[in-house]
Amino acid sequence: MDTLLHSSFFRKFDLFAELDDRELASIAAVAKVRRYAKDDVIFHADETGDVFCLIKEGQVKVTMISPEGKEIILSMLGPGEFFGEMALLDDAPRSATVVATEPIELVTIYRNDFLQILQENFSITRKVLGELSKRLRNASNRIESLATMDVYGRLARFFLDLAKESGKPLENGYVAVTRPTHQSIANMIGTSRETVSRLIHDLMRQNLLLSEGKTIYLRKSALDQFRAEL
Ligand code: CMP
């Protein structure tokens, strides 16, 4: 009974989508659920890592802190996404700090169990490698934009990526996206909060976007304009 309950719990994750009941039960036997509050640090860069984490609920930010104390956000990860695999795969310390940006629930799996799961289930290994490839592509794009684009270009690309990943097209010609804070956007595109606020206000004045609470409405024509300019 317990095992059945656990199997259906794990089946919801895309990472485990190809597994049969027996395989899911073996994951359930080694996985634990951990909860964290908003702003809790899940782990710090440079720590030794021994656990793989899959997000059930909530969101985390993957960050690096510069020697001057400036935060650089490498990525925001949400439900169904995972982190903490790198230190387990390359036996090096944690590559970044991971912080809960809202209350979160994680499924955690210890190193040896995780490595055994990868060895026994190619569908999972393939998905982990696919995600690592996607993250490497994103990092390459980020390096390219930092080296070749001004801040306006980087903000335009940020909105294009956000619209592509999580935008909801509306019938009135806008795409709705959930807006990270101006400070988070600044930390993602390598500029100051003041610059992000000024650029967003310029875009609002030109009617290219509207901001309402935590939602930004991007005009589809603005996204076309951004695309053409990049
Ligand atoms: P690990 O190095 O074990 O601990 C930090 C985790 O942050 C890392 O595993 C990855 O899961 C995640 N991470 C590190 N760099 C990036 C990145 N550029 N984009 C997304 N996630 C990352």
Side-chain angles (χ1 to χ4, degrees):
M1 186 64 187
D2 247 9
T3 308
L4 275 178
L5 230 177
H6 279 287
S7 299
S8 61
F9 173 87
F10 289 98
R11 195 182 297 291
K12 294 191 193 102
F13 293 97
D14 179 57
L15 193 58
F16 303 134
E18 273 83 43
L19 304 197
D20 62 27
D21 284 347
R22 189 189 52 79
E23 290 163 330
L24 284 174
S26 71
I27 304 253
V30 296
K32 294 191 170 55
V33 173
R34 288 191 200 174
R35 293 182 183 81
Y36 293 84
K38 179 175 180 325
D39 296 330
D40 278 356
V41 176
I42 319 299
F43 40 70
H44 288 276
D46 297 328
E47 279 175 11
T48 308
D50 60 358
V51 70
F52 168 79
C53 302
L54 185 56
I55 304 174
K56 174 162 186 288
E57 296 276 350
Q59 192 185 49
V60 299
K61 60 179 175 181
V62 180
T63 72
M64 295 182 95
I65 312 290
S66 75
E68 304 82 50
K70 199 169 159 333
E71 178 184 72
I72 299 141
I73 300 181
L74 299 174
S75 187
M76 310 286 290
L77 303 174
E81 295 184 292
F82 59 79
F83 58 91
E85 75 296 342
M86 286 170 65
L88 308 189
L89 291 170
D90 68 3
D91 283 325
R94 293 297 189 195
S95 59
T97 297
V98 182
V99 181
T101 54
E102 44 189 66
I104 54 164
E105 204 171 303
L106 298 179
V107 173
T108 61
I109 299 175
Y110 277 103
R111 172 195 296 268
N112 289 345
D113 296 323
F114 174 67
L115 295 176
Q116 193 171 344
I117 289 168
L118 291 188
Q119 193 163 328
E120 288 172 3
N121 302 278
F122 184 65
S123 71
I124 299 182
T125 309
R126 174 96 198 259
K127 284 181 188 174
V128 171
L129 289 175
E131 181 61 27
L132 283 172
S133 309
K134 188 178 118 195
R135 289 179 190 177
L136 184 57
R137 279 176 201 275
N138 287 345
S140 304
N141 286 338
R142 187 84 84 79
I143 293 167
E144 187 221 10
S145 13
L146 284 169
T148 62
M149 287 179 189
D150 60 12
V151 186
Y152 173 81
R154 302 205 297 269
L155 184 66
R157 179 174 272 182
F158 170 79
F159 280 134
L160 279 174
D161 290 345
L162 191 64
K164 194 167 138 200
E165 276 165 27
S166 60
K168 290 189 192 69
L170 306 177
E171 294 200 337
N172 59 3
Y174 284 90
V175 176
V177 291
T178 303
R179 175 179 67 82
T181 63
H182 287 187
Q183 184 67 62
S184 300
I185 298 175
N187 294 358
M188 282 186 258
I189 66 171
T191 187
S192 65
R193 185 184 55 76
E194 291 76 10
T195 303
V196 168
S197 298
R198 180 173 51 76
L199 289 177
I200 287 184
H201 281 115
D202 284 352
L203 292 169
M204 283 164 69
R205 259 201 304 277
Q206 296 170 57
N207 268 330
L208 294 175
L209 65 84
L210 304 170
S211 183
E212 204 178 270
K214 281 195 165 181
T215 305
I216 282 189
Y217 299 93
L218 296 153
R219 203 186 262 273
K220 282 199 193 114
S221 57
L223 292 172
D224 294 338
Q225 184 178 317
F226 290 160
R227 231 172 264 121
E229 283 169 359
L230 292 181

